[in-house]
Amino acid sequence: RKEVEQDPGPFNVPEGATVAFNCTYSNSASQSFFWYRQDCRKEPKLLMSVYSSGNEDGRFTAQLNRASQYISLLIRDSKLSDSATYLCAVNIFPRDNAGNMLTFGGGTRLMVKP
Amino acid sequence: IAGITQAPTSQILAAGRRMTLRCTQDMRHNAMYWYRQDLGLGLRLIHYSNTAGTTGKGEVPDGYSVSRANTDDFPLTLASAVPSQTSVYFCASKRTGDTGELFFGEGSRLTVL
């Protein structure tokens, strides 16, 4: 089982729709959680961090459920420009405590149609 | 230079050849990373470096080596390229101890024939 898993999609939604993505992680010791956005043939860029209390940034809401080990991203009032791949990332401290690094899910592709 | 610069942006390589992908950052970040991205597999960590002079193995290190002689540069070397190393390679950096944002380069698209 992969450490971080996402539904690859694609999610095809009309403009104005609300869409939600989930991401599950297997390591209960995971410390930090993030959503990245990646446009086609571009590098990933941080969309938002995910806090225990949940957080909102405009049309985007991120939530963390530690008990069930998943994070979610909700996009309201979808725009054409939201079309991209959304990657979840989990910060897992390695056993040798050599540092910490992000483990990414495979990404969920979103296509917003006119 | 602003942020992270990778070179080359694209390369076609014959199997068995040696190849070095270059990565330079000007943000004075201590931690640097190399990921490869393949369809259906997402981003997988190859090697990382928490500070100049130290390196570590990630999830898929075989066939790759790295060095970190200084803070700014983190080259990735394929000693003898194989077709399974065809991928898009991303270099990234962040401040050590900061659990937050990774800054990525624009990627190097490598095809091994």
Side-chain angles (χ1 to χ4, degrees):
Chain A
R1 182 186 172 190
K2 292 182 66 174
E3 289 196 56
V4 182
E5 293 198 80
Q6 296 180 249
D7 181 341
F11 283 58
N12 295 295
V13 303
E15 268 187 295
T18 295
V19 61
F21 309 134
N22 278 345
C23 168
T24 59
Y25 60 95
S26 60
N27 190 331
S28 60
S30 300
Q31 302 288 321
S32 309
F33 310 88
F34 308 90
W35 283 102
Y36 278 74
R37 171 190 168 127
Q38 185 174 24
D39 293 302
C40 188
R41 302 180 76 86
K42 297 287 189 180
E43 73 274 22
K45 292 183 179 178
L46 182 67
L47 176 67
M48 58 198 305
S49 302
V50 187
Y51 304 122
S52 296
S53 56
N55 49 304
E56 188 173 310
D57 183 3
R59 298 181 293 109
F60 298 82
T61 300
Q63 302 238 319
L64 166 65
N65 186 317
R66 283 194 182 273
S68 300
Q69 294 185 204
Y70 74 84
I71 62 173
S72 64
L73 178 68
L74 181 77
I75 305 175
R76 290 181 297 277
D77 189 23
S78 298
K79 311 292 185 189
L80 296 176
S81 58
D82 293 335
S83 296
T85 296
Y86 292 84
L87 304 163
C88 65
V90 176
N91 201 326
I92 300 171
F93 288 85
R95 296 183 190 88
D96 63 3
N97 203 31
N100 60 81
M101 62 195 77
L102 284 183
T103 298
F104 285 84
T108 298
R109 189 175 174 201
L110 171 66
M111 299 178 69
V112 181
K113 306 287 189 178
Chain B
I1 298 177
I4 294 188
T5 302
Q6 290 184 233
T9 55
S10 180
Q11 181 76 45
I12 298 174
L13 186 67
R17 298 297 295 268
R18 181 183 179 89
M19 177 73 196
T20 295
L21 303 180
R22 300 183 297 279
C23 176
T24 299
Q25 53 105 358
D26 64 356
M27 297 176 285
R28 307 305 294 173
H29 286 172
N30 287 324
M32 296 187 75
Y33 308 85
W34 274 105
Y35 288 88
R36 60 177 289 174
Q37 187 172 35
D38 304 286
L39 192 63
L41 297 175
L43 284 159
R44 293 181 292 167
L45 183 66
I46 305 170
H47 284 287
Y48 66 92
S49 169
N50 286 322
T51 190
T54 68
T55 62
K57 294 182 180 180
E59 180 186 355
V60 289
D62 294 342
Y64 305 94
S65 64
V66 291
S67 62
R68 189 86 185 278
N70 56 63
T71 297
D72 298 343
D73 301 300
F74 191 43
L76 176 73
T77 297
L78 289 67
S80 180
V82 296
S84 61
Q85 292 177 310
T86 294
S87 188
V88 180
Y89 292 86
F90 286 102
C91 181
S93 74
K94 72 175 177 68
R95 288 181 292 271
T96 300
D98 183 358
T99 57
E101 184 173 5
L102 272 184
F103 294 85
F104 285 87
E106 293 185 345
S108 296
R109 186 173 296 272
L110 183 66
T111 302
V112 183
L113 301 177

